[in-house]
Amino acid sequence: MTLHLSVKEQGHGDPLQRDVKFLGDILDEVLLHEGGQALVNKVENIRSIAKSLRDEHNPSVYAQLKEEMTNLQPPLRQNVIRSFSIYLQLVNIAEQTHRIRRRREYQHQSGELLQPGSLEDGVASLIENNISTDIVENALQTLSLELIITAHPTEATRRTVLQIHQRIANLLQQLDQPCTKREKEDLEESLFNEITVLWQTDELRDHKLTVMNEVKNGLYYFDETLFDVLPQVHQDLEDLLVEKYGQNWDVPTFLRFGSWIGGDRDGNPNVTAAMTWKTLEQQRELALQKYKAALQVLMKRLSHSTKRIQVSEELLNSVEQETALFEGKKKWRNEDEIYRCKVTIMLEKLEQCGQSGAGYQSADELLRDIVMIEKSIKSHHPHGYALKMLRKLKRQVELFGFHLATLDIRNHSGEHESAIAEIFKTVNVTPDYKALTEEEKMAVLTKVLQDRRPLISIFDTYSPETQEIIEVFRMIRRAKEEFGDRAIEVYLISMTQSSSDLLEVLVLAKEVGLYRVYPDGRVVSNLHVAPLLETIDDLTAGPKLMEQLFQLELYRNHITARNNLQEIMLGYSDGSKDGGTLTANWKLYKAQQEIHDMAKKYDIRLKFFHGRGGSLGRGGGPLNRSLLSQPAETLGDGVKITEQGEVLSSRYLLSEIAYRSLEQATSTLLTAIAHVSNEAEQDDLRSAEWEQAMDEIAAYALEKYQSLVFKDPDFLTYFRQATPLLELGALNIGSRPMSRKGSNRFEDLRAIPWVFAWTQSRQLMPAWFAAGTGLQSFVEKKEGLALLQQMYQKWPFFRSTIDNLQMALTKADLTTAKEYADMVKDEEIEQRIFGVITEEYNKTKDIILQITGQSSLLDHVPNIQESVRLRNPYVDPLNFLQVQLLSELRQKAENNDDTSELLREVLLTINGVAAGLRNTG
C-alpha cells in the first residue's frame, strides 16, 4: 500500500510541521476507513471553526462552534472526541521525534556548534571558566543525582497505548534516515497500521490499577531505556573529560534511579509489607534478566583462546574452582575459550541467585567476576581500545546491583504515633503516649532508644494496623539481607511536624535491629530517617525542628552512623495547595537555605529530596531548570527529585529523549557544583536585596491566595462544580484514593486531583494564582520594577519562577474557563469567584510582561509558544465537549439515570485535554 502523501513529497519546509502534517494525513486515512467521509468532514469542520476562532475571536463563530458541539450525538460524538485526542497524541510524538532530530543535527556538527545543556557544552563551560582539574575532581566526588519514580496517579495514558506511541516514534525516526523506495513504502505502511491499531485500542482502563500494575509500569522504563541510558551518560562524561582535560578520569557512579512504587504506603492501604517484598522480588528478577542477556551477548564476543593469548592466573584458578562446584551442569564445550567458560559459570550463578547458596550472594560478587575478566583482557588487548561492552556491564552492576532501584519507604507520621502509643501502653512505658507534650514524648523516646532491651515480644498481640507497621520494619531488615543494603535506604515520614516524629521511627527501627546502641556507646544505624516538610507552616518550622534533633546527642550519633548525612524531603504539592505556588516556592527555597546554614554549624551534610510533580502547580518543569532554581550551595551533598506520572513517559519512553534529559541534568549539576566550589564565584550566588524582595512578595501573595481559597466560604463549591474533580476518580489511573481518609475536607484532598481538575478546566489556578498580586503590590509599594527586572536577568530561582508562571498563564484560557464556571449552579458564586480569578489572571500577565520586557507570554521560547498556539484549535473542542457532557452527566446523576456512557465520553475528553496540554496533575 502507498499512502496518498509521502514524507518526501511534502516539500522542504519545517521538518516538525512536515511530520505533524504527515501523521495527520495518515490519521485522516484511518478516520475515513473507520467512520467514513461523514466523520472526516465533521472533524475538519470543527477544527476549521476552532482555528478561525483562535485567529480572531468572533462571538458569532464562538456560537457556531458551541452549536456544533451541542448537536453532536453518539456514536459520532465519541469518534470526534477520539479523533482530536489521537491527533494530539500524534503531535506529541512528532515533537519528541523533532527533539531527537535536533540533537542529532548538533552531533553532526563535529563539535563546531554545541547543543546548550549537553555534556559537551557542560565540559566546554568548565574549560572556558578555567575550572581546574582539582575542582572538577572534587565536584565529581560530591556529584549525586537520584531520580525517584513514583506511582502518583497522573499518567492518564495506558501502557499499551504508550507502547504504540513508542513504535510510531521509532518508525518516524527511521523515515529520517536514507532509505530505498521500497523501504520507505514499508515504513509508511507500518505507520498506517500502527495508527490504525491506536484507533482500535481502548484508551481507557476498565479497572483500577493495582499496586503490582504500577510496579510493572515503573519497571517498563528500566527495561526499555534506563538500564542502557544511565551507563551511557556516565561513559560519555568520562570520555569527554579525558578528551578535553588530557588525563585519565574515573567518573564515579553519580546518577541513579530509585522508586516509591510498592514502598509508598501513605494513604494507600494496598501497599503492605508483603507487597513491598513482592516489589523487591520483581525488581531483582528484571535486574538478573538484564545481566543474563548482557552476558549472553558478551559471550559471543569473548571467543579468545588460550592457544592464542595468555590470561590471568586469577581467572584460570577461578574457572577451575567453580567448575568443580557446578559438576553436572552444562559447561562450555571448548576449554581453551576460557572467557566463555567463565561466563557460562557466571550465567549459572545468576540463575541460582536467590534460589540456592551456589548462586551469587551479592552484586559485589558479580562485579568482582566482571573486573577479573576486564583485568585479564587488558593484559593481552591493545592499550587504549577497551571493550566498551564490558565497561558498560560493569557500570550497570554498580548502578543497579541486584535490587535494580533503591526503594524508599514512606508513611504518615500519625501511623507511627498510633503504633508507638499502642506498643508503649502494652509494655507499660506510658498509658497514653498521644496525650504527652512534645517535651515529654522526646524524653520517653530518648530513654527507650538508650535502653538496649527490646519492647516487642512475640507473645504480645497488637491491632492489625500496629502489627502491619511492625511487619514493615521487619521486612526492611530482611530486604537488606536478601537484596543488598541499597535495596532500602530511606524511611520517609509524611506530615512531619515535630522532632518526636523522627524518633518514633528510630524506636521502630531499634525493635527489629536496624538501629542498635552498644554498651560502649557505639551506634549502628542501617536506615536513613527523613522528614517530609509539606505545608507552609511545616516549611517555616523546619529549620528549628531539625536543629532540635541535631542538638540531641543520641540523634547526632545516629547521623554519624549514617555517614554524617541527613536527608530531608520537601513537598511542593501540599505547600502550593496550602499557600499558592509563588509563596510555596519561596518558602521551599528559604527552608533549604536556613537548614543548610544551620547544619553547617554541626558539620552535618544534607541531601534535599524535592517532591516535585509533573505539573507547574506541583513544582514541575524541565529537570535541568529545577536544579538551577535551587540554592546553589545545597547541591553539593546530593540531590533527589521525584519523577511522576506523565513525566516518566515524556522523558523516559524514548532512549534518546531520556539521554537528553539526563545529560542536561548532569551538565547543569556538574557546572553548578564546580562554580560553587570555586571560591571566587561564591559571592555572586544572589543578593540580600533580592531575598528581602521575595519575602515581601511572598507575604502579599499568601494573603491574596488564602483570602480566596480558605476565607471564601463558597470557594469549594465553585471548585467542585466548575471542574471535573468529581469525575476524575473514574479514570482508574492509580491505586491510591483521591483523598486521605476518604473525606471531603479540603485539607484531606490530595494535591494531584486538585491540580488535575484545575488543569482540565483551563483555569490552572494552582500554577499562577496570587502571583500577580504579590509582584504588583511590591512594585507599587516599593517602586521595585527595576529590581524585579534585575532579578529576572541574574537570579536563576526568580527567572525559573517567572518563566513557569508564563507557561501556566499561556496554557490557561479564560474564554474556555468561563464555560466551566458557568456550570456552577449559584450564579452569584460563579460571577464573584470567576471575577476574582479573571482579575488576578490579567494582573499576573501584565506584571510578568513588564518584568520580562516581552510583548507576549513565552516570547523567549518561540518554539513552545508556537506549540501551544497550534494545539489550541484541537484542545478547544475537547474542552467544549467536556463541559457539555459534564452538565448532562450531573443532571442524569441527580435523576438517578444511567450515566455509564456519558461518563466514558467525559473520560475520553479528559485524556484528550491531558494529551493536548501535556500535563495532568
Side-chain angles (χ1 to χ4, degrees):
M1 167 192 163
T2 303
L3 294 174
H4 70 289
L5 186 63
S6 80
V7 173
K8 301 300 181 186
E9 292 167 344
Q10 293 181 49
H12 301 284
D14 177 76
L16 172 58
Q17 291 183 6
R18 182 196 70 198
D19 284 351
V20 169
K21 186 176 188 310
F22 176 57
L23 293 175
D25 289 338
I26 296 178
L27 179 60
D28 283 347
E29 294 262 3
V30 172
L31 296 183
L32 186 63
H33 178 268
E34 296 292 327
Q37 195 63 49
L39 174 59
V40 174
N41 291 345
K42 179 61 70 175
V43 168
E44 176 55 31
N45 187 43
I46 292 172
R47 187 201 66 81
S48 178
I49 297 171
K51 186 174 184 301
S52 171
L53 194 59
R54 280 287 173 176
D55 291 340
E56 182 181 357
H57 186 78
N58 183 314
S60 63
V61 176
Y62 189 76
Q64 184 185 358
L65 180 61
K66 289 188 69 175
E67 184 180 2
E68 283 283 350
M69 300 294 99
T70 305
N71 291 338
L72 281 174
Q73 297 297 322
L76 180 60
R77 182 167 64 193
Q78 187 173 131
N79 283 339
V80 168
I81 293 169
R82 297 190 68 236
S83 299
F84 281 98
S85 178
I86 289 176
Y87 176 81
L88 288 165
Q89 293 172 38
L90 295 175
V91 170
N92 291 343
I93 294 169
E95 287 186 346
Q96 292 279 60
T97 304
H98 189 59
R99 283 189 66 196
I100 294 170
R101 180 185 295 123
R102 283 168 55 207
R103 178 172 174 265
R104 288 179 174 173
E105 287 171 356
Y106 275 106
Q107 290 175 322
H108 287 156
Q109 298 293 324
S110 301
E112 296 171 13
L113 187 63
L114 302 180
Q115 185 171 20
S118 64
L119 291 178
E120 292 86 350
D121 184 48
V123 174
S125 172
L126 296 175
I127 298 287
E128 288 167 13
N129 286 280
N130 297 314
I131 304 296
S132 69
T133 54
D134 288 343
I135 290 177
V136 176
E137 183 66 43
N138 181 62
L140 285 172
Q141 294 307 315
T142 59
L143 185 66
S144 173
L145 176 60
E146 295 171 71
L147 300 168
I148 310 300
I149 65 171
T150 79
H152 284 65
T154 64
E155 176 59 88
T157 311
R158 289 180 62 204
R159 180 152 55 104
T160 296
V161 173
L162 290 175
Q163 289 169 331
I164 299 172
H165 290 178
Q166 188 179 33
R167 295 197 295 270
I168 292 172
N170 289 334
L171 289 166
L172 206 54
Q173 288 173 56
Q174 290 177 55
L175 275 173
D176 255 358
Q177 307 306 312
C179 53
T180 66
K181 180 175 180 293
R182 170 56 60 191
E183 288 169 341
K184 181 164 70 71
E185 289 175 353
D186 288 347
L187 289 170
E188 290 174 349
E189 184 171 337
S190 296
L191 273 169
F192 178 85
N193 291 335
E194 290 293 354
I195 293 173
T196 301
V197 171
L198 182 60
W199 176 267
Q200 294 177 352
T201 298
D202 189 357
E203 55 266 77
L204 298 178
R205 298 182 177 95
D206 58 6
H207 61 276
K208 198 171 184 66
L209 284 176
T210 65
V211 176
M212 287 316 298
N213 290 148
E214 292 172 334
V215 169
K216 288 174 182 175
N217 288 343
L219 291 179
Y220 179 76
Y221 297 101
F222 285 92
D223 191 14
E224 289 293 311
T225 58
L226 297 177
F227 205 80
D228 292 317
V229 169
L230 283 177
Q232 191 64 52
V233 172
H234 286 84
Q235 189 57 58
D236 288 352
L237 177 59
E238 191 169 287
D239 290 346
L240 276 167
L241 289 170
V242 170
E243 178 188 339
K244 300 300 180 184
Y245 276 92
Q247 66 179 57
N248 288 330
W249 292 79
D250 185 11
V251 172
T253 298
F254 63 86
L255 179 59
R256 299 181 188 275
F257 270 73
S259 177
W260 274 15
I261 309 177
D264 181 11
R265 54 219 345 104
D266 178 20
N268 191 344
N270 303 302
V271 181
T272 61
M275 189 60 69
T276 302
W277 186 266
K278 191 173 180 183
T279 299
L280 291 165
E281 288 182 324
Q282 292 280 312
Q283 291 185 179
R284 178 171 66 183
E285 184 180 333
L286 177 58
L288 296 178
Q289 284 176 8
K290 301 297 276 188
Y291 295 143
K292 283 186 265 189
L295 285 174
Q296 293 282 8
V297 173
L298 197 60
M299 183 183 281
K300 295 176 183 177
R301 307 289 178 89
L302 299 182
S303 57
H304 311 68
S305 169
T306 51
K307 296 174 183 177
R308 298 286 183 185
I309 49 98
Q310 186 172 350
V311 299
S312 70
E313 285 297 318
E314 181 187 24
L315 180 68
L316 289 170
N317 293 336
S318 168
V319 171
E320 184 180 345
Q321 291 167 10
E322 291 182 313
T323 300
L325 289 175
F326 290 99
E327 202 63 48
K329 300 289 183 181
K330 186 177 179 182
K331 292 187 277 188
W332 185 250
R333 55 185 175 271
N334 298 330
E335 292 185 2
D336 63 301
E337 293 179 345
I338 194 69
Y339 293 121
R340 287 177 165 176
C341 292
K342 178 63 179 176
V343 172
T344 301
I345 293 168
M346 292 167 70
L347 284 166
E348 182 59 32
K349 289 173 77 172
L350 283 172
E351 197 65 45
Q352 295 296 323
C353 186
Q355 308 296 321
S356 75
Y360 284 116
Q361 298 304 299
S362 71
D364 286 340
E365 293 181 8
L366 171 61
L367 187 60
R368 282 195 291 272
D369 278 347
I370 295 168
V371 170
M372 185 192 305
I373 293 174
E374 184 183 45
K375 283 181 180 178
S376 180
I377 288 177
K378 280 181 179 178
S379 70
H380 58 75
H381 199 72
H383 179 68
Y385 292 89
L387 289 178
K388 288 199 171 182
M389 284 184 62
L390 202 57
R391 288 165 68 186
K392 179 180 177 181
L393 179 57
K394 178 182 167 185
R395 181 72 74 175
Q396 285 171 325
V397 177
E398 290 171 349
L399 281 163
F400 302 108
F402 285 165
H403 63 291
L404 188 72
T406 297
L407 195 63
D408 286 351
I409 307 296
R410 180 174 77 136
N411 207 345
H412 196 283
S413 59
E415 299 291 325
H416 310 130
E417 184 186 46
S418 296
I420 288 291
E422 186 175 349
I423 293 166
F424 281 5
K425 183 177 180 180
T426 300
V427 298
N428 206 26
V429 170
T430 181
D432 191 356
Y433 172 77
K434 289 186 179 182
L436 300 179
T437 65
E438 174 64 11
E439 189 176 345
E440 291 169 335
K441 286 180 179 178
M442 290 293 286
V444 171
L445 292 166
T446 301
K447 185 178 179 181
V448 168
L449 284 167
Q450 289 171 334
D451 190 337
R452 297 181 62 237
R453 293 172 298 178
L455 296 175
I456 299 172
S457 164
I458 59 172
F459 302 107
D460 294 330
T461 56
Y462 294 101
S463 65
E465 293 78 12
T466 296
Q467 191 61 44
E468 175 60 24
I469 293 279
I470 295 168
E471 290 304 320
V472 166
F473 282 86
R474 288 173 175 164
M475 177 276 302
I476 293 172
R477 175 165 181 173
R478 285 173 49 226
K480 284 175 166 289
E481 294 167 353
E482 177 72 17
F483 304 103
D485 194 53
R486 281 167 48 204
I488 297 174
E489 292 186 328
V490 182
Y491 195 105
L492 290 151
I493 307 165
S494 299
M495 285 296 167
T496 300
Q497 295 177 327
S498 60
S499 301
S500 60
D501 291 336
L502 279 79
L503 295 195
E504 286 165 2
V505 171
L506 270 187
V507 168
L508 292 164
K510 168 184 171 285
E511 289 305 304
V512 298
L514 288 168
Y515 173 88
R516 298 186 300 282
V517 179
Y518 289 90
D520 60 3
R522 185 169 49 92
V523 171
V524 173
S525 189
N526 294 320
L527 191 67
H528 285 298
V529 179
L532 170 47
L533 307 176
E534 300 176 83
T535 67
I536 296 294
D537 288 343
D538 293 345
L539 290 167
T540 303
K544 184 179 177 182
L545 183 153
M546 294 312 302
E547 184 156 28
Q548 287 174 343
L549 286 164
F550 293 165
Q551 288 173 342
L552 192 64
E553 183 183 2
L554 178 143
Y555 193 80
R556 285 291 308 280
N557 290 339
H558 154 70
I559 293 291
T560 302
R562 296 303 300 162
N563 198 24
N564 213 34
L565 179 71
Q566 171 69 57
E567 184 169 313
I568 296 173
M569 184 170 184
L570 304 168
Y572 286 67
S573 303
D574 283 289
S576 181
K577 175 170 160 266
D578 189 36
T581 184
L582 191 146
T583 302
N585 277 286
W586 179 238
K587 292 290 186 183
L588 285 156
Y589 189 96
K590 280 195 74 176
Q592 290 178 74
Q593 276 185 294
E594 292 171 10
I595 295 172
H596 177 270
D597 292 344
M598 178 271 296
K600 236 177 144 179
K601 294 189 303 184
Y602 297 91
D603 197 28
I604 291 173
R605 300 183 302 123
L606 293 176
K607 179 189 289 184
F608 285 108
F609 182 4
H610 303 273
R612 291 175 173 269
S615 65
L616 297 169
R618 296 180 52 239
L623 183 55
N624 59 319
R625 204 165 70 202
S626 298
L627 292 167
L628 275 176
S629 63
Q630 308 310 321
E633 65 271 30
T634 66
L635 301 176
D637 290 324
V639 179
K640 283 176 72 170
I641 300 179
T642 52
E643 296 281 58
Q644 306 176 8
E646 76 279 9
V647 171
L648 289 175
S649 58
S650 67
R651 286 185 187 157
Y652 306 116
L653 185 66
L654 303 176
S655 292
E656 292 202 50
I657 296 293
Y659 183 97
R660 176 63 181 149
S661 181
L662 295 174
E663 77 162 344
Q664 285 179 302
T666 298
S667 178
T668 299
L669 197 55
L670 176 60
T671 52
I673 292 172
H675 287 305
V676 171
S677 300
N678 190 358
E679 292 183 11
E681 301 188 33
Q682 288 192 4
D683 293 333
D684 299 329
L685 301 179
R686 62 186 161 266
S687 148
E689 187 181 16
W690 300 348
E691 295 184 349
Q692 178 61 37
M694 278 307 306
D695 281 337
E696 296 180 37
I697 292 166
Y700 295 136
L702 179 62
E703 184 180 357
K704 176 66 177 179
Y705 180 87
Q706 294 191 337
S707 70
L708 176 63
V709 175
F710 291 101
K711 295 178 182 176
D712 190 314
D714 300 313
F715 175 75
L716 275 182
T717 298
Y718 176 91
F719 172 53
R720 290 195 174 101
Q721 294 181 14
T723 71
L725 173 73
L726 304 176
E727 291 74 23
L728 290 178
L731 260 183
N732 293 324
I733 59 176
S735 63
R736 290 199 309 178
M738 284 207 332
S739 66
R740 292 181 174 94
K741 307 172 188 175
S743 84
N744 289 319
R745 297 192 319 145
F746 177 79
E747 292 79 1
D748 292 326
L749 176 66
R750 291 192 180 278
I752 289 168
W754 161 255
V755 172
F756 201 158
W758 285 115
T759 302
Q760 285 284 313
S761 68
R762 301 297 294 275
Q763 297 175 77
L764 275 82
M765 200 196 90
W768 61 266
F769 187 80
T773 290
L775 295 164
Q776 187 65 47
S777 297
F778 179 80
V779 168
E780 291 173 356
K781 294 179 183 179
K782 298 284 185 175
E783 297 184 357
L785 180 59
L787 179 63
L788 297 187
Q789 290 171 334
Q790 180 192 66
M791 290 160 62
Y792 180 72
Q793 292 300 322
K794 296 186 176 181
W795 191 11
F797 164 78
F798 191 71
R799 186 178 188 90
S800 176
T801 300
I802 295 298
D803 287 348
N804 281 343
L805 289 170
Q806 288 197 68
M807 177 65 82
L809 292 171
T810 303
K811 289 188 175 184
D813 186 88
L814 292 184
T815 302
T816 303
K818 182 65 169 66
E819 297 293 326
Y820 286 86
D822 286 344
M823 291 194 295
V824 177
K825 294 178 180 178
D826 189 314
E827 189 175 346
E828 188 279 327
I829 293 175
E830 181 262 319
Q831 290 183 354
R832 175 167 49 80
I833 294 182
F834 188 68
V836 171
I837 291 172
T838 302
E839 180 185 6
E840 185 64 20
Y841 177 93
N842 292 326
K843 182 182 293 186
T844 307
K845 179 180 176 181
D846 289 345
I847 189 62
I848 283 178
L849 292 178
Q850 290 179 55
I851 291 169
T852 60
Q854 299 168 187
S855 58
S856 300
L857 295 171
L858 296 184
D859 274 351
H860 66 300
V861 279
N863 58 323
I864 297 177
Q865 186 185 56
E866 180 68 2
S867 174
V868 176
R869 187 188 70 80
L870 291 174
R871 287 163 183 270
N872 278 329
Y874 299 89
V875 181
D876 291 344
L878 292 170
N879 281 125
F880 282 125
L881 278 167
Q882 188 178 107
V883 170
Q884 176 190 330
L885 292 166
L886 284 170
S887 300
E888 292 181 28
L889 177 76
R890 291 171 182 179
Q891 185 61 53
K892 282 199 168 192
E894 285 184 12
N895 299 333
N896 293 319
D897 294 334
D898 179 36
T899 61
S900 56
E901 281 305 307
L902 275 173
L903 179 60
R904 179 173 182 78
E905 289 182 310
V906 167
L907 298 180
L908 287 171
T909 65
I910 289 174
N911 266 358
V913 172
L917 299 181
R918 304 213 63 174
N919 275 122
T920 50

